[in-house]
Amino acid sequence: MRNFKIILEYDGAAYCGWQRQDNGISIQEVLEKTIGLITGEEITVIGSGRTDAGVHALNQVANFQSGTRLSAEILYRGINGLLPPDIAVKELEEAALEFHAQHDARGKIYIYRIYNSRLRRPVGRNYFWQINYPLDLARMEKASQYLIGRHDFSCFCATGSRVKDRVRTITDIAFKKNETGMLEITVAAEGFLRYMVRNIVGTLVEVGGGKYPPEEVVKIIDSGDRNCAGVTAPAHGLFLKEVKYCR
Amino acid sequence: MRNFKIILEYDGAAYCGWQRQDNGISIQEVLEKTIGLITGEEITVIGSGRTDAGVHALNQVANFQSGTRLSAEILYRGINGLLPPDIAVKELEEAALEFHAQHDARGKIYIYRIYNSRLRRPVGRNYFWQINYPLDLARMEKASQYLIGRHDFSCFCATGSRVKDRVRTITDIAFKKNETGMLEITVAAEGFLRYMVRNIVGTLVEVGGGKYPPEEVVKIIDSGDRNCAGVTAPAHGLFLKEVKYCR
């Protein structure tokens, strides 16, 4: 057996998310079928983690094992030639047999894009969240400082999640507005709970819009109650930017 | 009667183009129906010019006459509230009764976006043309210099066009590569023939890819023959950026 590491970009709009599901087409399923067509095997693709329905990825990492004799270059070109236009393998390389895209992941960086204007922007509208009331960026930045560090983030975890240990470490939250007025919020953590970035962004937007002060975020975290935090920001503004590994 | 000038942004993907047609939904038709819903009249919207099926606009200009007593602000909000997400009115103001978006237009600027990489880029793929063989930008820039000025551009005019006078003046062609590697070709002219920008871009790409030298463009113009020029670049990479008026 050989083990291959792949780095992927995808537009999540058409998919039910990363993970195989009975009720829709997932990125994982498309990859497994496509790679299987090339190698002639039943392939299991292991992602660094799930992305939810509609969420995009710029550099999702995954691995798969195969007995193929094809070179990495031939696999790379063959797989890309068969993938649909909304999924691309950016890199493919042979990895150590022990490499496991999920277990070995040490951190992830997500980007959330917000366009804050009364004016709608039709071009590219599937890649940002439009907020049409004014957001106070300084308040949002202040609120974000309370999130950095090691906390029980139950308040930002999707309702119904079965995960018990909800302690996570956020290492950085950064704000950047580009020349076209697009606000990019970058959130880096060792790991994330389901909907965590989107729930954090929804809460920061409520702070920015004046619904409650930045300090309220401390109470929200302490409450451990999803109902105390803000709305879930829509999926189409979220991008998995990077997955970090030790080696 | 009153006359209103509007500036529009739209994502052209879902439309058969600007102009009303029997065989598809046009931007013009959607605008006329939407504005008519607000004013209770049959509205005719006059665009600065047509954009073809699939072409986007960042600042298309149009005007319409109406006997409405509604203020520009109310019209602006009402129309935007009813338009679909892929069309937005960015500005609406009352204009002189004589203002005519097509006849008064003195120049237009288009942008064509190319992503030159072997790597496919799924995110935003409906807003650029991917070229997977290397393009020599210096050659393309050199070729573009031969296009600037007043010429008979028959060679770049859509086959079957009924326009007889095909002399146009290109005032500028500029190349810019942004930090994500996207190449933007800006073409400014007093007026354009049908498919002219896309045929110019298709020809520049053939020069950039090495099919013929930059000087060949002179022969192509002189030939006056559409068959001598390059392919028509796809619609989804093209954006109407600006329309210029004297006043």
Side-chain angles (χ1 to χ4, degrees), chain A residues 9 87 120 123-125 127, chain B residues 9 11 87 120 123-124 127:
Chain A
E9 176 171 324
I87 304 178
R120 281 188 298 115
V123 170
R125 71 197 175 284
Y127 303 113
Chain B
E9 176 172 324
D11 181 322
I87 303 178
R120 281 188 298 116
V123 170
Y127 303 112

Side-chain angles (χ1 to χ4, degrees), chain A residues 74-91:
Chain A
I74 293 294
L75 275 176
Y76 169 80
R77 290 162 64 180
I79 294 167
N80 273 319
L82 292 173
L83 282 172
D86 50 6
I87 304 178
V89 173
K90 294 170 77 171
E91 290 178 34

Side-chain angles (χ1 to χ4, degrees), chain A residues 96-107:
Chain A
L97 208 55
E98 319 83 66
F99 174 73
H100 190 286
Q102 188 192 347
H103 297 160
D104 292 349
R106 289 292 165 265

